[in-house]
Amino acid sequence: MQAGSNAFTMSPQKWISGTNAIGIISRSGRYGGTFAHRDIAFEFASWISAEFKLYIIKDYQRLKLDENSRLSLGWNLNRTLAKINYRILLF
């Protein structure tokens, strides 16, 4: 009901108590702050900045491409070894 008004604010502590949120910790005072699980922090940062979201997507694609290129070589080597062993077993 309050969210529609212009004076509405949602503090991290209000959010945690209102939703029983896990993965977010909010402390007051000196050395305090709001700390979140990295997945929650990445989602928040990508909501704030489109540039950050694009950076995360591009980096993820680069990592998957690198992983696939490394794994494809091993798969092809295993396939070749299995083919050679099959020929040896036939004789």
Side-chain angles (χ1 to χ4, degrees):
M1 296 295 278
Q2 295 174 353
S5 73
N6 289 338
F8 176 73
T9 58
M10 177 62 79
S11 69
Q13 290 177 344
K14 256 191 196 177
W15 175 265
I16 292 167
S17 65
T19 61
N20 293 326
I22 56 172
I24 302 176
I25 298 170
S26 185
R27 296 190 182 120
S28 304
R30 189 175 182 176
Y31 308 117
T34 302
F35 306 94
H37 187 271
R38 80 176 75 140
D39 295 338
I40 296 169
F42 280 145
E43 185 60 31
F44 180 75
S46 66
W47 177 72
I48 294 292
S49 169
E51 181 182 358
F52 179 78
K53 185 170 190 166
L54 186 61
Y55 173 76
I56 293 294
I57 291 169
K58 290 292 187 184
D59 201 38
Y60 177 78
Q61 290 172 345
R62 182 188 59 80
L63 287 171
K64 290 304 283 184
L65 190 64
D66 183 45
E67 180 185 35
N68 286 337
S69 67
R70 283 186 288 120
L71 291 178
S72 67
L73 179 63
W75 179 83
N76 199 16
L77 181 63
N78 289 341
R79 183 177 168 269
T80 305
L81 286 174
K83 181 173 134 181
I84 292 169
N85 284 339
Y86 181 73
R87 286 186 182 163
I88 292 172
L89 290 174
L90 287 178
F91 294 112

